[in-house]
Amino acid sequence: MSVLMGQMMERPLLISSIIDYAAAVYGDIPIVSRDAAGLTHRYSYRDASVRIARLAHALTGMGVKPGDRIATVAWNGYRHFELYYAISGIGAVCHTVNPRLFRDQLVHIFNHAEDRLIFVDPSLLPLVEGLAPDLSSVESVIVMSDAADMPESALGNILCYEKLLEGQPESIDWPSLDERAAAALCYTSGTTANPKGALYSHRSTVLHALGSVVGQDGWLRPGQVFMPVVPMFHVCAWGYPYACPLSGTAMVMPGPRLDGASLHDLIEGEGVTLSAGVPTLWYGLMEHLRKTGGTLTKLKALVCGGAAPSLALIQEIESHGVEFLHGWGLTETSPIVTTCLNSTLPENLTPEERQRYKLKQGRPLYGIDVKLAGEGGKTVPHDGESAGEILLRGNTVISGYYRDAEASEASFDEDGWFRTGDIGTLNAAGTLQLTDRAKDLIKSGGEWISSIDLESAVLGHPGVAAAAAIAIPHPKWDERPLLVVVPVEGQDVDKGSILDYLRGAVASFWVPDDIAFVDEMPLTATGKISKRQLRQRFEGYKLPTA
Ligand code: ADP
């Protein structure tokens, strides 16, 4: 069958087009960065585009070719932003590396990606120096610093970022690349095996940025000031370094200091209206406000994703007059898949019901299809009750892992849908709610217990600062939950009061068989509670009911 073709131009969706657009249309909008020493740097999207052009020329001059992988090991700051655009703009691949990974994982990632250059923040140079003897492909290390502040280093092949830019032309005609060309690379944090690479294209990145501007209720627009607390070394800071210039949103880059006091200081000082990060960071900010009696006079909304928030966290954030926005996604999905926003809540809910509803992960962005699969691939009804594994398909979802046939083989169903490994429900309105990660499920007497719901419930107890439920083998029930709890500092909480609290809040068979107190939770490289480490620590634990 022949179709009548549209008569429209076709221009490739390229990352370089975002910074060109921002420079032309939002040229005066600022990017503010705070560095490790607490110093503040200010410039505009126009200034950034000039330095990006100079950096792109410098990279080409160093022999960087399309497809080469160029690594960054850096906090959120303006030079990291410049690297995002200059590297991808000339057709090379910006490979962001998470400095919090274990040494073996870091060595594996650099060698697997075959990075030619590493750009590193001065404070992270010792890390790279320690790895250097084991890196097989790296030709030079470039310190993201000016000449005066270059640190001493025993590395022979070390260069200075600002020196590279000196004398380079201030504008550039970007190459017209295939929009499907690779632009950025990020490895998962490898909670179960070696990290796996998600290789984003120009097209997927631009579509994700457009989708996320639309899917965040108009929060990204001129006049708004956004602070990415989510790191630029993990899933491109959830795509905000692309979505902000595209939408004319100003940016405040927090550098390495992410404690409650530093974040509060930046939010108030720089007039941040919107920010995004994992729940652990927002617990830190809330704790700081509680201790100091601080207020949030500028902030209008907080995006929370990466791990499940508790109802108590949603309530505390909103008690400051700040709207809570919930998001869900994975490294493999660019990452944002769903958002839960005030505008998408059902009508006629009480204020408390509205906050409870925001425990749901929300509805997908345009261009992503979601379905649930039961055991043996059976379809699961979208009734808001039945749970299944969440499968995805869309322009911003990986089609395979970078150079990893085995992992790719295991991660897609026979129709090519990506298997997320997350378990959840979907209601008739297309709203998703996660109940667990497949590997964290607790199965008691043939029935699932949702560790996410159990943790959210117990965080409403005033003496509980953090909580994680893990499965412990049980002779009668197969598995029963053990609840690991970090008590609020200085509070004397006992098991009985927590169990009593839970008896009123969750189904009786969900009430954990025991509670173990710890001083702090082990965290993953992306700041989430590491259940794998908890399971190792409590291996062989004897439940009182066993
Ligand atoms: P990792 O945590 O393994 O480094 P990602 O950063 O890609 O990998 O995290 C993706 C996972 O984080 C998801 O599969 C999901 O289990 C969890 N996650 C992300 N957002 C949420 C959320 N809003 N609520 C609950 N879990 C979430």
Side-chain angles (χ1 to χ4, degrees), residues 194-461:
N194 255 337
K196 296 168 284 187
L199 186 61
Y200 312 114
S201 66
H202 283 262
R203 177 184 156 82
S204 71
T205 305
V206 173
L207 289 175
H208 180 267
L210 285 166
S212 81
V213 171
V214 177
Q216 288 181 70
D217 240 3
W219 280 108
L220 297 172
R221 61 184 148 82
Q224 298 291 332
V225 182
F226 176 79
M227 176 170 73
V229 179
V230 44
M232 290 175 78
F233 57 68
H234 191 58
V235 213
C236 305
W238 298 350
Y240 287 104
Y242 307 110
C244 287
L246 184 124
S247 60
T249 308
M251 294 185 89
V252 174
M253 306 285 207
R257 299 186 190 182
L258 304 178
D259 58 286
S262 304
L263 293 180
H264 185 224
D265 179 55
L266 261 184
I267 291 171
E268 288 297 307
E270 297 296 337
V272 172
T273 57
L274 177 72
S275 185
V278 293
T280 328
L281 290 160
W282 304 140
Y283 285 117
L285 177 64
M286 291 302 123
E287 196 187 336
H288 168 77
L289 297 180
R290 238 177 285 134
K291 276 191 189 149
T292 58
T295 53
L296 295 167
T297 59
K298 315 276 170 58
L299 195 68
K300 300 282 180 286
L302 273 185
V303 181
C304 184
S310 67
L311 181 61
L313 179 67
I314 299 176
Q315 289 169 333
E316 189 168 4
I317 288 174
E318 296 209 331
S319 76
H320 287 278
V322 173
E323 191 173 318
F324 180 92
L325 313 177
H326 191 177
W328 166 71
L330 296 81
T331 306
E332 291 88 336
T333 60
S334 303
I336 305 177
V337 178
T338 62
T339 52
C340 192
L341 313 160
N342 276 1
S343 61
T344 60
L345 302 182
E347 285 173 14
N348 308 324
L349 297 182
T350 64
E352 145 106 36
E353 286 167 341
R354 286 169 70 84
Q355 289 175 328
R356 199 171 276 284
Y357 200 93
K358 288 203 218 173
L359 287 168
K360 296 184 193 297
Q361 280 64 24
R363 305 209 280 215
L365 303 186
Y366 167 76
I368 308 175
D369 300 330
V370 182
K371 72 174 181 185
L372 300 179
E375 279 176 51
K378 275 200 222 102
T379 32
V380 175
H382 297 178
D383 57 10
E385 300 272 325
S386 317
E389 186 183 4
I390 304 162
L391 270 55
L392 302 173
R393 178 173 81 171
N395 291 316
T396 51
V397 180
I398 58 161
S399 59
Y401 288 100
Y402 181 55
R403 288 183 175 166
D404 192 338
E406 202 181 315
S408 302
E409 179 76 24
S411 304
F412 297 84
D413 78 356
E414 58 273 25
D415 298 322
W417 290 65
F418 172 65
R419 304 180 53 180
T420 62
D422 283 332
I423 309 289
T425 62
L426 266 172
N427 69 15
T431 303
L432 184 83
Q433 178 149 22
L434 257 64
T435 51
D436 243 312
R437 273 183 121 160
K439 51 182 179 284
D440 294 337
L441 281 172
I442 306 170
K443 199 167 193 181
S444 166
E447 301 257 20
W448 300 119
I449 294 173
S450 162
S451 62
I452 290 183
D453 289 351
L454 190 56
E455 290 153 9
S456 176
V458 77
L459 284 165
H461 185 293

